[in-house]
Every structure is written in C-alpha cells, then in structure tokens.
Amino acid sequence: MACVKLVYDETQMPVEGDRLLVDQAPVKISDIDRNAIEEAVKIKEELGGRVTLAVVVTGPLDEAILKEALAMGADRALIVEGDAVKGHNPYRTAQAIVKALKRDGIDPNLVVCGEGSSDQYSCALPAMIAEMLSLPVATFVGKLEVKEGKLVVERYLEGGFETAEVPLPAVISVTSEVNEPRIPTVLQIMKAGKKERSSVDASELDLKFPPIELVEIKAYVKERRREKVEGSVNEVVDRIVKVLEEKGVI
C-alpha cells in the first residue's frame, strides 16, 4: 500500500504581499509520495501482489490528479473524504487510514509513505500508522531490498546512513533518492478511471483525535535594504564599500 496526499502546488502558488492565495494554485501529488507509489509498484512488479493507494482528502481533491497517481501502476484507491478530515492533523489522518483499511478488510504487508508532504512536512504520519497497526517502522529509507520475508533498508540520516533489517509486515517512509518515479502516459491516465476505488466519508469512521488549530499561514517576505547614494564617484564608492563592510560582505 502507498499513502498519497494531494496538495496545492507551492511552485505555482500566487502571493499577494505576505498572503498566500492558496485556492488559486493547481493541485498535484505531494512530491515524495510519487517515490512512495513508484517503490510500491516496483515491489509488486518484482514479487507480485496488489498496490492500494490510501488517499485522505485533507485539502483539495482533483480527480485528474488522482487518476494520474493510479496510472503509475496502482491497482485500486481507498479514499477517505469529508469535513471530518479537512485540515492539518497527522494523528487524525493516520487514524483515518487505519480505520478505513480495517473497514474494507485490507491487511497490507507493506505500507510505503513519502518522508513528508510537500505542504506540511511533519514527517509524523508513518510512525503513527505503524503504532496504530502495531507494526515496525523504518523512516527516511533511501534504498531497500526485500529479502527472505524482511526488508533490508538504508536510512538516510543527517551526516550519514545506517543499514537495518525490518521484518514484514512493516511501515516505511522513503526519501526522494530511493527511485525515479515513472511518468504515466495519457492512455494510462485515461484507463486509470476504470480502476477499482472505494470511498468512505470520514464521519463514518468514529475518529477521535486531539484538535490542532492552524491559525495562519504567511508567505516569507524577504526585506531588501534600499539606499540611494548620491555625490561624486569617490563619495559613492566610499559609501558602497562602507555598507558592504557593515554587512560583513567584504
């Protein structure tokens, strides 16, 4: 199973002053979730099985983008939507995924997540899912191999990496170094509309979670020093040099 989040494309998000015009940005698959889908599909192609995409609609939903995710090689989608899962709350999202899996009788042998989403990047979801399913977890996996019923993984950490063995079933989060996601063709995307999908309203899952209130999101505004320098050439040069020295540039 691969967990997928649909997010606003931050590279095409208009900014007005320090205000992000979120609703005017297009929707995309969260960047590293593409690597998660790719890794799950690669394992299926090598060892067999089926790939389910778990999609909790915490923000925007674009059917075309969902089809694109399915077209990468997944077999079906399990979608949790409704007002009860809107907004940022990783614990609630993890609980929604786990309860939807149990509702549909899906017992995954491997859950693959991106290391963090493009919008929030809390990196909390994989460990929470693992805890709720009572499964081992390996995070920040940049390389993996399935060997004799277990995973041999390389975890990419600050300042180095470590190798670990993880028994299956398990939950992992992958980094962008783990693979190069495939780009589905237009025909594959069109055919993806016929793939199996199951939707559930989050209000049916009896979710219980501590509340998180997102008060405000502001764009980072970089202040630039502006100074008009007038006078003779020597006076202008002296002033520029003095300013650069004050800023530690020279």
Side-chain angles (χ1 to χ4, degrees), residues 83-119:
D83 292 340
V85 287
K86 292 292 185 185
H88 174 65
N89 192 323
Y91 185 87
R92 179 183 58 192
T93 301
Q95 195 178 82
I97 291 173
V98 170
K99 288 200 172 187
L101 287 174
K102 291 180 178 178
R103 169 185 174 274
D104 280 23
I106 299 173
D107 188 15
N109 199 37
L110 177 62
V111 178
V112 188
C113 306
E115 63 174 279
S117 62
S118 303
D119 54 357

